[in-house]
Amino acid sequence: MSQARLAPCLQLPLENKTLVNVIEKAKDWALMHGVGMRDKKHFNKDVIQIAPFILLPSPFPKTEFMKAVELQPVLNELMHKVAHDDEFLEQTLQNALQVDEFTANLYDIWLKVKNEGISQPISLGMLRSDIMLESRCPHTENQCAKHTPYCSWKQVEINSIASGFGHLGPVSREIQSYILRQLGHGDLIKNMPENRALSGLCSGIIEAFDLFGVLNAVVLFVVEEVSYNICDQRFHEFEISEKRPEIQIYRKTLNEIYEETELNDKKQLILDGHPVAVVYYRSGYEPAQYPTAREWDARLRVERSTAIKCPSIHYQLAGTKKVQQALAGPGVLEKFMGSGTSTSRVRDIFTGLYSLDFDESGERAVEMALADAERFVLKPQREGGGNNVYGSEVRDALTRMRHSRERAAYILMERILPPLVSGYMIRPGAPVPPPLVDLVSELGIFGVIIGTKEKIYCNRQVGHMLRTKLADANEGGVAAGLGALDSPYLLDL
């Protein structure tokens, strides 16, 4: 059976001369407006290249987009409650902690801070819920897929750390608006939703700074040793400086935090003589950048301090895949949300999520995956592209891990089959004109929540981003070099 399709916003293919001309203009626009990244292969701090982008905005059903926007504050509050439920986190992560050293180190820091007494009860959550349209329809009595190219949308994951693209999301709309105007179709821009993700995310940092309420305090961005996604990171700083020029922002690696900061007797994190009000982690520290002992010590120092963290350690634990899988279990959402309509709405967005623990349900999940590996994805605990296992490799990995505790470090998720759309992907250094290819998209909805266990100070949806990849590609991370920037073109279906 052929995969469902959505129609592009313009008739394709474009005439060759028109295509070449508009791409050259768009590339220059991209470089002059921060649609850029540093080259991983030939790194040079003084050089950026265009970030991969899709030439035209990708179609997305308006009703589903609005549902995702409206649901984000509900998801924000759910994550906030999960992060503050010590018993649930302990029970949910106990098996993964035995085999996943990264998560175990996070958990150890959490225990130490809890036992010493938490110095800062306020957490700043800057979350991103990633979703995809599902073209397969499970409703045999009402085959909605016969009438539309999709059935529903499903959550891929929710990110609690390094939820990037606050700048690149909105600027994707801007570059595609420019392209549509150049092609004589500026009238279509009205179907692209406004996107204020950058100002919305930065307002969360500013509100947390004000809640800290200490004179001469500063904001600290924690960054990688080498930053490739520099435009997205720096525009957050520029936005804060424009809104609040008096707020001083530092960028430091964990190694620099280890060397240059200290805790005073008030448990304030002191940097260059200033107390740090907000610590914003711009890096999730994936396996390729696994933290050293010094970096773990720096993370512990930050967590012990009075600084408001984004994320705090318990927020990062709440964002692990094991926790997301556990939330899909019977009665778990009801524990946090009660049994109202919001609970049903959240449960509806979950795709199949299965534990691989050494128990009856874990064995059933292994058997399912071995029998039909193409249906599933193996996901480790950490966030970011490039870590998941797909297709026949799922069978190979589970065969290897079947009798090893290593398998408890993963969850099993049913693959989502989104509808296809035809389009052009523009990449740095790639031949022009590019071929017309089949693409699939993943929508990310941003949320900000600030609060303690007892009180929520703010909770809102603040913007979105769209990442699009080749239909036959498994991963789609733009920073990982696997996808491209895009924005939604809303359709009434």
Side-chain angles (χ1 to χ4, degrees):
M1 187 177 75
S2 61
Q3 196 165 337
R5 283 186 171 274
L6 289 166
C9 66
L10 292 181
Q11 184 70 39
L12 300 179
L14 296 177
E15 189 270 328
N16 198 61
K17 184 177 179 181
T18 300
L19 181 59
V20 171
N21 182 54
V22 78
I23 288 174
E24 292 305 316
K25 289 181 179 179
K27 283 183 172 181
D28 288 343
W29 193 100
L31 289 173
M32 295 171 191
H33 291 81
V35 188
M37 293 180 174
R38 288 175 173 150
D39 188 347
K40 286 190 173 184
K41 291 182 179 178
H42 308 286
F43 179 79
N44 182 334
K45 276 191 173 183
D46 295 333
V47 177
I48 64 166
Q49 60 185 16
I50 63 163
F53 65 92
I54 303 301
L55 190 70
L56 299 172
S58 291
F60 201 94
K62 184 176 182 179
T63 54
E64 306 305 325
F65 179 84
M66 296 310 300
K67 285 179 188 176
V69 166
E70 291 164 5
L71 192 59
Q72 188 59 41
V74 177
L75 295 173
N76 292 347
E77 186 171 353
L78 171 62
M79 289 293 288
H80 187 78
K81 289 178 177 178
V82 169
H84 288 89
D85 191 319
D86 298 359
E87 183 180 356
F88 176 75
L89 289 177
E90 181 180 357
Q91 291 177 350
T92 301
L93 294 171
Q94 58 183 338
N95 289 324
L97 296 175
Q98 299 175 36
V99 289
D100 189 313
E101 184 183 0
F102 186 95
T103 306
N105 282 334
L106 292 175
Y107 190 82
D108 286 345
I109 291 175
W110 182 54
L111 287 181
K112 286 177 183 175
V113 171
K114 278 203 309 173
N115 292 335
E116 293 171 2
I118 294 173
S119 301
Q120 178 54 267
I122 299 173
S123 291
L124 166 60
M126 296 195 347
L127 310 174
R128 194 185 72 223
S129 176
D130 293 337
I131 69 172
M132 295 181 92
L133 293 173
E134 174 59 89
S135 60
R136 292 168 295 195
C137 183
H139 310 299
T140 55
E141 295 179 5
N142 178 22
Q143 286 285 342
C144 57
K146 289 183 178 178
H147 307 290
T148 63
Y150 73 97
C151 172
S152 59
W153 59 264
K154 298 294 182 182
Q155 187 180 69
V156 178
E157 63 184 358
I158 190 161
N159 297 279
S160 62
I161 186 167
S163 302
F165 296 88
H167 161 68
L168 290 175
V171 81
S172 299
R173 182 188 188 277
E174 293 177 29
I175 190 172
Q176 290 176 329
S177 297
Y178 170 79
I179 291 165
L180 285 173
R181 284 192 291 268
Q182 294 299 307
L183 292 171
H185 291 281
D187 58 305
L188 299 181
I189 296 171
K190 65 180 181 294
N191 297 315
M192 300 167 66
E194 289 292 331
N195 191 355
R196 298 184 176 88
L198 182 63
S199 61
L201 291 169
C202 290
S203 70
I205 295 174
I206 291 170
E207 286 180 48
F209 177 90
D210 290 338
L211 281 170
F212 188 76
V214 176
L215 290 176
N216 300 318
V218 298
V219 170
L220 173 60
F221 281 28
V222 184
V223 298
E224 311 97 325
E225 294 291 333
V226 178
S227 294
Y228 298 105
N229 192 13
I230 192 65
C231 292
D232 196 59
Q233 294 184 9
R234 286 293 191 186
F235 271 87
H236 286 73
E237 298 175 42
F238 302 158
E239 177 74 11
I240 293 170
S241 294
E242 186 172 326
K243 286 185 173 180
R244 295 283 295 273
E246 77 279 14
I247 297 179
Q248 190 172 357
I249 301 171
Y250 286 80
R251 287 169 57 88
K252 299 290 180 183
T253 66
L254 283 172
N255 275 310
E256 290 171 330
I257 291 171
Y258 178 86
E259 294 169 355
E260 300 175 26
T261 67
E262 62 181 5
L263 292 180
N264 65 14
D265 55 2
K266 297 178 182 178
K267 292 289 186 75
Q268 292 175 330
L269 185 68
I270 303 300
L271 174 61
D272 278 355
H274 299 279
V276 176
V278 180
V279 177
Y280 176 35
Y281 288 91
R282 287 295 311 180
S283 167
Y285 279 87
E286 296 305 322
Q289 311 165 287
Y290 200 84
T292 64
R294 281 161 51 103
E295 290 174 307
W296 283 120
D297 286 347
R299 182 70 193 269
L300 175 59
R301 186 185 304 166
V302 170
E303 207 63 29
R304 281 172 163 157
S305 78
T306 59
I308 297 173
K309 298 92 180 169
C310 179
S312 56
I313 205 83
H314 48 296
Y315 252 86
Q316 189 169 354
L317 290 170
T320 56
K321 302 301 181 291
K322 186 64 182 171
V323 168
Q324 292 173 34
Q325 173 262 311
L327 287 173
V332 179
L333 282 180
E334 287 77 5
K335 165 184 165 64
F336 292 103
M337 303 175 63
S339 55
T341 56
S342 291
T343 303
S344 299
R345 289 166 64 201
V346 172
R347 188 171 298 285
D348 283 346
I349 72 173
F350 290 157
T351 188
L353 295 163
Y354 306 98
S355 165
L356 293 173
D357 290 344
F358 280 86
D359 54 23
E360 186 177 342
S361 62
E363 289 301 322
R364 282 199 304 270
V366 170
E367 291 291 345
M368 277 196 310
L370 292 176
D372 191 1
E374 295 293 336
R375 273 183 57 205
F376 299 99
V377 184
L378 270 178
K379 290 190 161 191
Q381 300 310 310
R382 290 172 291 283
E383 298 168 8
N387 301 311
N388 299 332
V389 181
Y390 296 85
S392 61
E393 293 181 3
V394 171
R395 183 179 290 110
D396 296 340
L398 282 178
T399 300
R400 175 179 56 82
M401 296 188 297
R402 181 159 195 176
H403 302 294
S404 166
R405 298 205 67 83
E406 181 187 356
R407 84 183 202 195
Y410 292 80
I411 68 163
L412 190 69
M413 186 181 105
E414 289 187 12
R415 291 191 77 163
I416 303 167
L417 189 67
L420 304 175
V421 64
S422 298
Y424 297 104
M425 182 180 286
I426 315 303
R427 297 173 183 255
V432 175
L436 187 63
V437 292
D438 283 340
L439 304 166
V440 294
S441 298
E442 182 175 310
L443 177 68
I445 304 293
F446 291 106
V448 168
I449 184 167
I450 305 175
T452 66
K453 185 174 183 177
E454 294 79 22
K455 181 179 180 180
I456 293 177
Y457 295 98
C458 82
N459 176 18
R460 56 184 178 266
Q461 177 270 338
V462 295
H464 61 273
M465 55 90 75
L466 194 72
R467 289 174 296 180
T468 295
K469 63 181 181 180
L470 296 174
D472 58 0
N474 285 324
E475 300 281 2
V478 178
L482 302 164
L485 303 173
D486 200 353
S487 51
Y489 180 86
L490 300 185
L491 301 173
D492 290 312
L493 292 176

